[in-house]
Amino acid sequence: MKRLYPYLTGGITEDWTDYLLAYQEAGADAIEIGLPFSDPMLDGTTIQQASDRALRRGATVDAILADLAAVRDRITVPLFAMTYANLVFSDGPEVFCRRLAEAGVSGLIVPDVPVDEADGLSAAAEAAGVDLVLLAAPVTPPERLAEIAARSRGFVYAVSVLGTTGERDELAGTAAPLAARIKAVTDLPVLIGFGISRPEHATTAARAGDGVVVASALMRRVLDGATPGELLDDVAALRAAVDQADQEVPADHAHAEVSGDRG
C-alpha cells in the first residue's frame, strides 16, 4: 500500500492537535511532527515561518510532548518526530528518545545527524523502541546509500532535491531515480519528500516510491489560517492522489504491511 505521511509543526496553534486528528481522519498512514527549532537549516521559508510562529507562542519540546500525551488515546497512526540535533543532544539522546516514546512517538528524523555520526543516537532510539529514520539525497554515493538503507528504521526518507524544503511547481526529476536507487538496496518503504506540493505530485512520487511526505504545502495553509476541517479536506485530496498510484501497482509488487501502519 502506498503511504501518505503529512507533516505538522507542533505547537503552531493553540489547537494544533486538532490538525493532527484531522490528518488522521483524512487517511494519513503516519504523521510527521516538527519539533520547532530556532535554526532549522534544512527547512525553507514556509517551515521556518511555522517554526517561528510556534516558538513565539512558547512552544517547547516539553509542551508539545505533553499535548501529544493528552491525545494519545485518540491517535491510531504512528507519529514521527522531526527535529535537529541540538534539541536531541541537549539532555542526551537516551533521555530524548525515552521522552518521545512516553508521549506515544514511535519514530525520529534528525536531518543534521549523518549516518556516520548516528551510532549513539541509533542505539538510544532502539533502546527506547523508536525508529530512527535516515535520509538519502540525489547525490548520495552508492556505498553511503547502502549504509543509510541498512541502518534506517521504519522507512528511508528520499530527499527529492538538493536544497531546503518548500513548495515547487513541479516534482523534481531527481525524485524517481533516487527512489529506484534506494529500493534496489532495501526492502524498507521509501518515502519521497521535499517539494511534494500538489496532489498530482503525490501521485507521481508515489508511483516511484512507496509513498510521500507532504510538509510545506500543508503548513502554508495553516499559516494562512486554514482550519483543521479545511486541512482534513487537503489531506483527503492527497490520500486520493496516493491511492491512485496504489491502484496502478500489481498486488505482488506491494510491500508487506508494517506493524502499526494504517490498515
Side-chain angles (χ1 to χ4, degrees):
M1 185 187 73
K2 301 292 186 179
R3 295 167 169 80
L4 171 63
Y5 291 9
Y7 169 98
L8 177 65
T9 299
I12 187 171
T13 64
E14 183 176 359
D15 63 345
W16 74 274
T17 55
D18 289 347
Y19 291 92
L20 190 72
L21 295 167
Y23 283 12
Q24 175 178 273
E25 184 178 348
D29 296 295
I31 300 171
E32 182 182 332
I33 299 171
L35 302 180
F37 178 59
S38 57
D39 187 20
M41 65 183 73
L42 199 65
D43 290 316
T45 300
T46 302
I47 302 299
Q48 287 186 24
Q49 290 176 345
S51 293
D52 287 346
R53 181 177 293 187
L55 292 171
R56 280 189 279 107
R57 286 194 60 258
T60 63
V61 172
D62 286 345
I64 291 168
L65 295 182
D67 288 345
L68 288 176
V71 297
R72 184 173 183 175
D73 291 346
R74 302 170 64 189
I75 299 295
T76 60
V77 298
L79 303 178
F80 290 82
M82 184 279 185
T83 193
Y84 289 89
N86 282 36
L87 294 182
V88 174
F89 288 93
S90 61
D91 291 327
E94 295 82 4
V95 172
F96 187 85
C97 291
R98 186 170 64 247
R99 293 169 63 203
L100 291 182
E102 290 171 353
V105 176
S106 60
L108 174 63
I109 304 164
V110 190
D112 56 343
V113 175
V115 65
D116 40 11
E117 297 177 11
D119 286 351
L121 177 56
S122 181
E126 183 175 356
V130 171
D131 287 334
L132 180 63
V133 178
L134 301 179
L135 299 87
V139 296
T140 302
E143 290 185 2
R144 189 175 182 84
L145 188 75
E147 183 179 4
I148 289 170
R151 298 186 60 182
S152 190
R153 297 292 179 268
F155 68 96
V156 181
Y157 196 132
V159 177
S160 69
V161 294
L162 293 176
T164 61
T165 62
E167 293 179 84
R168 290 170 172 82
D169 292 333
E170 296 180 352
L171 181 67
T174 46
L178 174 61
R181 290 177 59 209
I182 301 171
K183 287 168 71 70
V185 295
T186 183
D187 289 330
L188 285 177
V190 177
L191 277 287
I192 297 176
F194 285 47
I196 310 297
S197 308
R198 303 170 183 167
E200 56 266 34
H201 296 172
T203 302
T204 303
R207 288 184 185 124
D210 296 301
V212 297
V213 179
V214 184
S216 296
L218 296 173
M219 295 317 301
R220 178 180 54 76
R221 292 274 288 147
V222 176
L223 289 167
D224 289 345
T227 66
E230 291 170 325
L231 264 292
L232 187 153
D233 293 339
D234 293 346
V235 175
L238 291 166
R239 174 80 262 166
V242 169
D243 286 346
Q244 179 180 335
D246 197 35
Q247 291 163 5
E248 300 167 357
V249 178
D252 59 352
H253 287 182
H255 282 283
E257 291 297 323
V258 176
S259 176
D261 276 9
R262 174 177 174 267

